[in-house]
CSV table of all heavy atoms in Angstrom, one decimal:
chain,number,residue,atom,x,y,z
A,88,LYS,N,-212.0,38.9,41.6
A,88,LYS,CA,-211.1,40.0,41.2
A,88,LYS,C,-212.0,41.3,40.9
A,88,LYS,O,-211.6,42.4,41.1
A,88,LYS,CB,-210.3,39.6,40.0
A,88,LYS,CG,-209.4,40.7,39.4
A,88,LYS,CD,-208.6,40.1,38.2
A,88,LYS,CE,-207.7,41.2,37.7
A,88,LYS,NZ,-207.0,40.7,36.4
A,89,HIS,N,-213.2,41.0,40.3
A,89,HIS,CA,-214.1,42.1,40.0
A,89,HIS,C,-215.4,41.8,40.8
A,89,HIS,O,-216.4,41.2,40.3
A,89,HIS,CB,-214.4,42.2,38.5
A,89,HIS,CG,-213.2,42.3,37.7
A,89,HIS,ND1,-212.5,43.5,37.7
A,89,HIS,CD2,-212.6,41.4,36.9
A,89,HIS,CE1,-211.4,43.3,36.9
A,89,HIS,NE2,-211.5,42.1,36.4
A,115,LEU,N,-223.0,34.3,35.0
A,115,LEU,CA,-221.8,33.9,35.6
A,115,LEU,C,-221.9,32.4,36.2
A,115,LEU,O,-220.8,31.9,36.6
A,115,LEU,CB,-221.4,34.8,36.7
A,115,LEU,CG,-221.1,36.3,36.2
A,115,LEU,CD1,-220.9,37.2,37.4
A,115,LEU,CD2,-219.9,36.3,35.3
A,125,ASP,N,-213.0,30.9,37.7
A,125,ASP,CA,-211.8,31.5,37.3
A,125,ASP,C,-211.3,32.6,38.3
A,125,ASP,O,-210.3,33.2,38.1
A,125,ASP,CB,-211.9,32.1,35.9
A,125,ASP,CG,-212.9,33.1,35.7
A,125,ASP,OD1,-213.6,33.5,36.8
A,125,ASP,OD2,-213.2,33.6,34.6
A,127,LYS,N,-212.6,35.5,38.7
A,127,LYS,CA,-212.8,36.9,38.2
A,127,LYS,C,-213.9,37.6,38.8
A,127,LYS,O,-213.9,38.8,39.1
A,127,LYS,CB,-213.0,36.9,36.7
A,127,LYS,CG,-211.7,36.6,35.9
A,127,LYS,CD,-212.0,36.8,34.4
A,127,LYS,CE,-210.7,36.7,33.6
A,127,LYS,NZ,-211.0,36.9,32.2
A,128,PHE,N,-215.0,37.0,39.1
A,128,PHE,CA,-216.2,37.7,39.6
A,128,PHE,C,-216.8,37.0,40.8
A,128,PHE,O,-216.7,35.8,41.0
A,128,PHE,CB,-217.3,37.7,38.5
A,128,PHE,CG,-216.9,38.4,37.2
A,128,PHE,CD1,-216.4,37.6,36.1
A,128,PHE,CD2,-217.0,39.7,37.1
A,128,PHE,CE1,-216.1,38.3,35.0
A,128,PHE,CE2,-216.7,40.4,36.0
A,128,PHE,CZ,-216.2,39.7,34.9
A,147,VAL,N,-219.4,47.4,40.2
A,147,VAL,CA,-218.4,46.4,39.9
A,147,VAL,C,-217.0,47.0,40.4
A,147,VAL,O,-216.5,48.0,39.8
A,147,VAL,CB,-218.3,46.0,38.4
A,147,VAL,CG1,-217.3,45.0,38.1
A,147,VAL,CG2,-219.7,45.6,37.9
A,161,LYS,N,-224.9,41.3,30.5
A,161,LYS,CA,-223.9,40.7,29.6
A,161,LYS,C,-222.8,41.7,29.2
A,161,LYS,O,-221.6,41.4,29.2
A,161,LYS,CB,-224.6,40.1,28.4
A,161,LYS,CG,-223.7,39.1,27.6
A,161,LYS,CD,-224.6,38.5,26.5
A,161,LYS,CE,-223.8,37.2,26.0
A,161,LYS,NZ,-224.7,36.5,25.0
A,162,ASP,N,-223.2,42.9,28.8
A,162,ASP,CA,-222.3,43.9,28.4
A,162,ASP,C,-221.4,44.4,29.6
A,162,ASP,O,-220.2,44.7,29.4
A,162,ASP,CB,-223.0,45.1,27.8
A,162,ASP,CG,-223.6,44.8,26.5
A,162,ASP,OD1,-223.1,43.9,25.8
A,162,ASP,OD2,-224.6,45.4,26.1
A,163,ILE,N,-222.0,44.5,30.8
A,163,ILE,CA,-221.3,44.9,32.0
A,163,ILE,C,-220.2,43.9,32.3
A,163,ILE,O,-219.0,44.2,32.5
A,163,ILE,CB,-222.2,45.1,33.2
A,163,ILE,CG1,-223.1,46.3,33.0
A,163,ILE,CG2,-221.4,45.2,34.5
A,163,ILE,CD1,-224.2,46.4,34.0
A,164,ILE,N,-220.5,42.6,32.2
A,164,ILE,CA,-219.5,41.5,32.5
A,164,ILE,C,-218.4,41.6,31.4
A,164,ILE,O,-217.2,41.4,31.7
A,164,ILE,CB,-220.2,40.2,32.5
A,164,ILE,CG1,-221.1,40.1,33.7
A,164,ILE,CG2,-219.2,39.0,32.5
A,164,ILE,CD1,-222.1,38.9,33.7
A,165,ALA,N,-218.8,41.8,30.2
A,165,ALA,CA,-217.8,41.9,29.1
A,165,ALA,C,-216.8,42.9,29.3
A,165,ALA,O,-215.6,42.8,28.8
A,165,ALA,CB,-218.5,42.1,27.7
A,166,GLU,N,-217.1,44.0,29.9
A,166,GLU,CA,-216.1,45.1,30.2
A,166,GLU,C,-215.0,44.6,31.1
A,166,GLU,O,-213.9,45.2,31.0
A,166,GLU,CB,-216.8,46.3,30.9
A,166,GLU,CG,-217.7,47.1,30.1
A,166,GLU,CD,-218.3,48.3,30.8
A,166,GLU,OE1,-217.5,48.9,31.6
A,166,GLU,OE2,-219.5,48.5,30.7
A,167,PHE,N,-215.2,43.6,31.8
A,167,PHE,CA,-214.2,43.1,32.8
A,167,PHE,C,-213.6,41.7,32.5
A,167,PHE,O,-212.8,41.2,33.1
A,167,PHE,CB,-214.8,43.1,34.2
A,167,PHE,CG,-215.2,44.5,34.7
A,167,PHE,CD1,-216.5,44.9,34.5
A,167,PHE,CD2,-214.3,45.3,35.3
A,167,PHE,CE1,-216.9,46.2,34.9
A,167,PHE,CE2,-214.6,46.6,35.7
A,167,PHE,CZ,-216.0,47.0,35.5
A,168,ALA,N,-214.1,41.1,31.4
A,168,ALA,CA,-213.8,39.7,31.1
A,168,ALA,C,-212.4,39.7,30.4
A,168,ALA,O,-211.8,40.6,30.1
A,168,ALA,CB,-214.8,39.1,30.2
Side-chain angles (χ1 to χ4, degrees):
K88 180 178 178 183
H89 305 290
L115 297 172
D125 61 6
K127 283 188 177 181
F128 298 97
V147 181
K161 194 174 196 174
D162 293 333
I163 292 171
I164 293 169
E166 288 184 42
F167 298 91

